[in-house]
Amino acid sequence: MRSTFMGLETARRGMFTQQSALHTTGHNISNANTPGYSRQRINFTQTTPYPSVGMNRPQFPGQMGTGVEAGTVQRIRESFLDVQFRTENTKMGYYGAMSESLTKMEEIMNEPSENGLHSTLEKFWNALQDLSSHTENTGARDVVAATGQMVADTLNYYHNSLTRVQEDIGSQIGVKVDEINAIVGQIDHLNKRIAEVEPHGYLPNDLYDERDVLVDQLSKMVNVKVTNVIPNNYGNAKSVAEGLYNIEIVQQDGKSFAQPVNLISVTKGSGIMGTNKLELAEENGAVSELKVGDASIADFDRLSGELAGLIKSFGYETESGTKGSYPEMLDKLNKMAAAFANEFNHIHSKGYALGASEPSGKDFFVFDQGNPAQSMKVNQDLLDDSSLIAAGKESGASGDNQNAQLLADLRKKSFSDYGFYKQAGNTLPEGLNGSLDTYYSGIIGRMGVDSQSAKKDLRNSSILADSVEQNRQSVSAVSLDEEMTNMIKFQHAYNASARNITVVDEMLDKIINGMGVVGR
């Protein structure tokens, strides 16, 4: 025969379980606006039915339920959406860094505008045309010298400004590396705290949330793969325990590198193995290698995330030389400036100054061959005395304007036809094609296309990331309407269990106080 008090225990379990559900609902409501919080729920499980199987079991028509208990307090989280969000977050970080750096470059180059190099060159060519029409005019000569200096100043400004922004990006890379290492250290600390709780049969949901917030932040900076690992000797951990995070830097396509690059190493056999510090090596003013413990990455084209975007802007070493948005732009400006100045000087030095009886032999521009865009300026002698500008080709007579015309025609002259580079020992810099005007237009056009492409990709990745985040929030975020509904539901269940105890109490009262009193 079953115990007389069996109904009391069943109702007591119902009250305590509904009370636990109400406490969890209150926790959800309290954290409705907490960033990164995932709503939690009580997993209700039926208790063992009565009687158990055996030869001496009471002869009931079937097993009777004994109530309910709170199995686990589990957070509501969809891991697939986490993976999707982190993938898009990585892309958003990469294109965000690229877009920002290219936007700064566009602001420096400032094309098309009245202050850009194209407009300044246009003024210089026009001044040379005026000089070819009025070789004896001192004003026309002064304008050539002044506009020539404007061209030099513009190139100087471009180079110095680009270099300054590049240095700022280099500083950002250092800060980003420190930030990554700090986040990895925090995740490792949370891993250890979780490892102290899960073996006892509990689910540290709030620690899970803290850890996932940090992983989300990390995923924006570098492309990571997160693997949940439950060590072999892990006490009485629940089957739904999430375990420890092994975090690995992976390629753009999500595949591991040939030698796995682990920021946090966790194995089933040994558990937490420790963290690996991320370090960057530089060579020739560019990033040459990314080191993580014993592993290293030298092919930065396979990386993604904000760190990769900064590196690809700042500059990185490859087998074929230094690549990157800023070093490549500086290299193009230097090559263009060197070719232009060398050819201009080549033509100018063979011409005749006003009233001169022999070729000038003077350079119009003076500069450091190793860094022409930064160092270029007009020869001070010509600025002091513009009559020294060699406008004549055969003599210094005021009517001889052929050399000035040759200088003015340089704007449309192909680099491959430059006389300076046809001389023995002089080699045209690699990559120069077309004329000065068309080459510079090509540089600006390519920069604009790259910038617009980065902005477009940033918008697309942001839209996708927002879409996934909305789906993730629809699963994990706290809905006050839903929690209020649950609160009413659990309250009624609690009240019903309490009413059940009252009914059982009345039954027991009848048995104890009402039976066996016949005939009294």
Side-chain angles (χ1 to χ4, degrees):
M1 181 177 176
R2 74 180 71 91
S3 169
T4 305
F5 297 96
M6 178 178 174
L8 284 175
E9 179 62 20
T10 300
R12 183 194 68 83
R13 288 173 178 168
M15 286 183 64
F16 285 0
T17 303
Q18 302 304 326
Q19 186 179 34
S20 297
L22 281 168
H23 291 333
T24 301
T25 300
H27 183 57
N28 286 340
I29 294 172
S30 299
N31 287 278
N33 297 315
T34 301
Y37 177 79
S38 302
R39 66 188 177 95
Q40 299 175 12
R41 73 181 177 199
I42 293 286
N43 291 325
F44 290 7
T45 58
Q46 298 174 347
T47 53
T48 304
Y50 177 84
S52 58
V53 177
M55 292 297 294
N56 297 323
R57 69 183 184 276
Q59 294 304 309
F60 289 161
Q63 289 183 315
M64 299 183 65
T66 59
V68 67
E69 66 179 359
T72 56
V73 182
Q74 185 180 11
R75 68 175 185 155
I76 310 302
R77 193 89 176 191
E78 178 55 66
S79 59
F80 176 69
L81 292 175
D82 286 337
V83 173
Q84 274 192 315
F85 174 78
R86 288 163 188 163
T87 299
E88 297 304 326
N89 202 31
T90 301
K91 295 177 183 177
M92 189 165 63
Y94 173 76
Y95 291 121
M98 291 296 295
S99 176
E100 183 178 356
S101 64
L102 289 172
T103 297
K104 290 179 180 177
M105 183 182 292
E106 282 187 306
E107 291 172 352
I108 291 171
M109 306 297 280
N110 197 23
E111 295 286 2
S113 73
E114 294 183 1
N115 301 319
L117 180 61
H118 188 275
S119 176
T120 306
L121 280 170
E122 189 69 28
K123 294 174 183 176
F124 184 51
W125 302 131
N126 290 338
L128 287 169
Q129 286 288 358
D130 289 342
L131 176 62
S132 66
S133 301
H134 309 92
T135 57
E136 76 291 346
N137 190 306
T138 302
R141 290 174 171 272
D142 290 341
V143 171
V144 169
T147 53
Q149 186 59 49
M150 286 172 60
V151 171
D153 289 342
T154 304
L155 287 168
N156 298 164
Y157 169 77
Y158 281 0
H159 186 282
N160 293 333
S161 298
L162 291 172
T163 301
R164 186 166 55 251
V165 173
Q166 184 185 24
E167 291 172 352
D168 291 342
I169 294 173
S171 299
Q172 282 184 267
I173 291 174
V175 171
K176 200 60 62 179
V177 168
D178 292 340
E179 191 175 347
I180 290 171
N181 288 329
I183 290 177
V184 169
Q186 293 176 56
I187 296 174
D188 179 59
H189 177 67
L190 288 170
N191 260 353
K192 292 174 180 176
R193 290 179 63 188
I194 290 169
E196 294 172 352
V197 177
E198 287 183 328
H200 295 284
Y202 297 115
L203 300 179
N205 297 305
D206 296 329
L207 295 181
Y208 291 158
D209 286 340
E210 288 183 49
R211 185 173 62 177
D212 280 330
V213 168
L214 291 172
V215 173
D216 288 346
Q217 294 174 8
L218 184 64
S219 69
K220 186 175 184 180
M221 291 179 273
V222 65
N223 195 16
V224 293
K225 177 183 177 181
V226 179
T227 305
N228 296 65
V229 179
I230 297 181
N232 294 329
N233 300 319
Y234 208 48
N236 298 318
K238 297 284 187 182
S239 60
V240 293
E242 297 189 14
L244 311 176
Y245 278 0
N246 181 90
I247 299 182
E248 176 188 359
I249 296 178
V250 293
Q251 303 178 50
Q252 283 182 334
D253 57 5
K255 296 180 180 178
S256 299
F257 286 93
Q259 181 183 2
V261 183
N262 287 324
L263 291 170
I264 298 179
S265 298
V266 181
T267 64
K268 282 185 171 291
S270 303
I272 300 174
M273 301 291 289
T275 63
N276 292 312
K277 188 175 181 181
L278 188 149
E279 298 176 321
L280 290 178
E282 289 192 26
E283 182 180 335
N284 300 324
V287 178
S288 59
E289 188 179 26
L290 185 152
K291 298 179 180 178
V292 182
D294 296 332
S296 64
I297 300 172
D299 188 357
F300 296 103
D301 290 327
R302 295 185 180 183
L303 280 178
S304 187
E306 196 172 1
L307 180 63
L310 291 172
I311 290 173
K312 290 179 182 179
S313 297
F314 174 73
Y316 58 101
E317 286 295 314
T318 66
E319 293 180 356
S320 58
T322 303
K323 289 187 176 181
S325 302
Y326 278 77
E328 287 179 16
M329 178 58 76
L330 287 168
D331 182 59
K332 289 175 181 177
L333 286 177
N334 272 325
K335 287 179 177 179
M336 181 185 73
F340 162 65
N342 281 326
E343 181 65 10
F344 200 92
N345 288 344
H346 176 71
I347 297 173
H348 185 270
S349 61
K350 292 184 176 181
Y352 286 76
L354 186 63
S357 58
E358 58 183 20
S360 167
K362 284 184 176 292
D363 288 337
F364 187 89
F365 294 107
V366 291
F367 60 95
D368 177 7
Q369 289 285 354
N371 199 3
Q374 184 183 32
S375 60
M376 183 187 295
K377 60 182 180 180
V378 173
N379 191 326
Q380 188 61 44
D381 291 343
L382 304 184
L383 289 173
D384 294 339
D385 184 2
S386 60
S387 66
L388 296 178
I389 295 176
K393 182 175 176 57
E394 304 296 338
S395 69
S398 60
D400 190 346
N401 67 346
Q402 295 182 52
N403 208 50
Q405 190 61 53
L406 289 175
L407 293 172
D409 292 341
L410 187 60
R411 67 178 304 179
K412 296 182 179 179
K413 189 175 183 180
S414 175
F415 288 119
S416 59
D417 294 330
Y418 279 11
F420 176 82
Y421 292 104
K422 291 183 177 181
Q423 295 177 340
N426 296 330
T427 304
L428 182 69
E430 185 179 357
L432 292 179
N433 51 69
S435 66
L436 180 67
D437 277 0
T438 59
Y439 181 76
Y440 180 68
S441 297
I443 291 177
I444 297 302
R446 177 62 184 271
M447 178 186 66
V449 169
D450 290 344
S451 179
Q452 290 301 315
S453 177
K455 290 176 181 176
K456 176 181 66 66
D457 291 334
L458 175 60
R459 285 194 300 269
N460 291 340
S461 58
S462 298
I463 291 171
L464 290 173
D466 289 343
S467 176
V468 176
E469 177 62 12
Q470 288 178 5
N471 291 336
R472 191 164 69 160
Q473 290 299 315
S474 69
V475 173
S476 300
V478 175
S479 168
L480 291 178
D481 291 339
E482 184 179 353
E483 297 302 326
M484 292 297 290
T485 302
N486 288 338
M487 185 169 61
I488 294 172
K489 179 175 66 175
F490 298 142
Q491 179 191 11
H492 285 314
Y494 180 90
N495 292 340
S497 295
R499 178 59 182 164
N500 191 21
I501 289 179
T502 301
V503 171
V504 174
D505 179 63
E506 291 176 357
M507 293 169 57
L508 293 174
D509 177 67
K510 178 60 67 177
I511 292 173
I512 295 172
N513 298 315
M515 292 179 67
V517 296
V518 177
R520 287 185 183 180

